[in-house]
Amino acid sequence: MRGDLERVLVDEARIARRVAEMAQDISRDLLDALGVSERDGDPELDGGLTEGRIVFIPVMTGAMVFTADLVRRMPLKLSLELVAVSSYPGATTESKGARLAAELPQDLTDKHVVLIDDILDTGRTLGLLSELVGERGPASLRIAVLLDKPARRAVDVRADYVGFEIPDEFVVGYGLDYGGYYRNLPEIATLRADVIRGEDGPDGTTPTGRQDAEPKA
Ligand code: IMP
Ligand code: MG
């Protein structure tokens, strides 16, 4: 698997440090939003102060690894509700739009919601999800992503928490895939050009790694 890599953009240690910082920032902001202060008790010990108020919504499958590391560094009583969005009709390096592949939790009224994804690319996925969450009347909505590729934005979406801003390059690892593979790499890396352009490209990708077919929905 490592033989397919071209260059490591962010190594394991840097990811771990940044994820820990993000967990602290998000926890602090959620406690502020809930009006929980030190005098109300230690939120780490007294879960009652945040119980039923905080919902994290990771976008499967890419956000799986990031979410697992992030939430284990957060002392809050929170619940996790997975959502699935298919943004690619198969394996390709090109996003063609987003559609919801699993229902959002119905009851988000008055909850503090945090949408989590691996990467903010064109913004279609998180644009769609913020709209849908917004319709459910949450108390607040925040977006946390490990990576941001601002050069690629097509929809105006801003993340409240960004791990790393990266250039316009296709990356894999730490949850991000190409053709379903490489999610289990502990670092963020680019793939060798011949891996992306290989004729054996997964799921009918063209030699450029891009798929010409329009999404089915
Ligand atoms: P968006 O809707 O274009 O913002 O795309 C977001 C989704 O596209 C992410 O959740 C990823 O699954 C995928 N994606 C975007 N850029 C990359 C990349 O460089 N590598 C792997 N997946 C990517
Ligand atoms: Mg994804």
Side-chain angles (χ1 to χ4, degrees):
M1 176 171 71
R2 278 225 153 65
D4 293 347
L5 305 184
E6 180 192 64
R7 188 163 54 93
V8 172
L9 256 65
V10 192
D11 68 25
E12 220 180 322
R14 262 181 87 199
I15 295 175
R17 278 198 302 272
R18 187 68 190 118
V19 170
E21 284 170 8
M22 293 175 84
Q24 265 188 11
D25 291 348
I26 298 170
S27 302
R28 184 201 54 225
D29 292 352
L30 286 170
L31 288 174
D32 278 356
L34 283 160
V36 177
S37 67
E38 304 232 349
R39 117 185 99 74
D40 295 324
D42 184 348
E44 296 198 31
L45 302 173
D46 189 355
L49 296 169
T50 64
E51 187 169 323
R53 304 299 314 281
I54 302 176
V55 182
F56 275 44
I57 305 183
V59 186
M60 289 295 107
T61 303
M64 191 183 88
V65 179
F66 175 41
T67 303
D69 284 347
L70 186 74
V71 296
R72 282 181 297 172
R73 294 196 157 267
M74 306 194 42
L76 313 176
K77 203 161 185 181
L78 56 85
S79 59
L80 281 171
E81 299 272 3
L82 312 185
V83 72
V85 170
S86 53
S87 49
Y88 302 167
T92 157
T93 56
E94 208 44 24
S95 177
K96 291 279 181 60
R99 86 192 144 89
L100 204 61
E103 266 313 298
L104 269 179
Q106 287 304 310
D107 187 21
L108 295 176
T109 318
D110 286 336
K111 310 253 162 118
H112 294 273
V113 176
V114 183
L115 281 168
I116 310 179
D117 208 353
D118 49 2
I119 186 167
L120 180 54
D121 188 35
T122 64
R124 292 195 176 99
T125 304
L126 288 166
L128 171 74
L129 287 172
S130 357
E131 221 178 281
L132 296 174
V133 169
E135 287 166 5
R136 286 171 161 74
S140 71
L141 170 59
R142 292 174 171 76
I143 294 179
V145 291
L146 181 75
L147 304 174
D148 185 10
K149 255 192 226 174
R152 299 247 318 154
R153 204 76 83 250
V155 175
D156 184 26
V157 181
R158 254 150 292 192
D160 302 278
Y161 309 94
V162 173
F164 304 94
E165 214 172 86
I166 60 164
D168 184 8
E169 287 185 88
F170 191 81
V171 293
V172 296
Y174 202 72
L176 293 119
D177 75 303
Y178 177 63
Y181 297 118
Y182 311 105
R183 295 194 198 276
N184 55 319
L185 275 174
E187 61 262 301
I188 303 286
T190 56
L191 285 172
R192 288 199 341 251
D194 62 296
V195 173
I196 292 181
R197 294 202 191 102
E199 329 176 288
D200 303 331
D203 290 4
T205 48
T206 65
T208 61
R210 296 178 179 191
Q211 189 168 68
D212 296 325
E214 286 304 307
K216 290 172 186 70

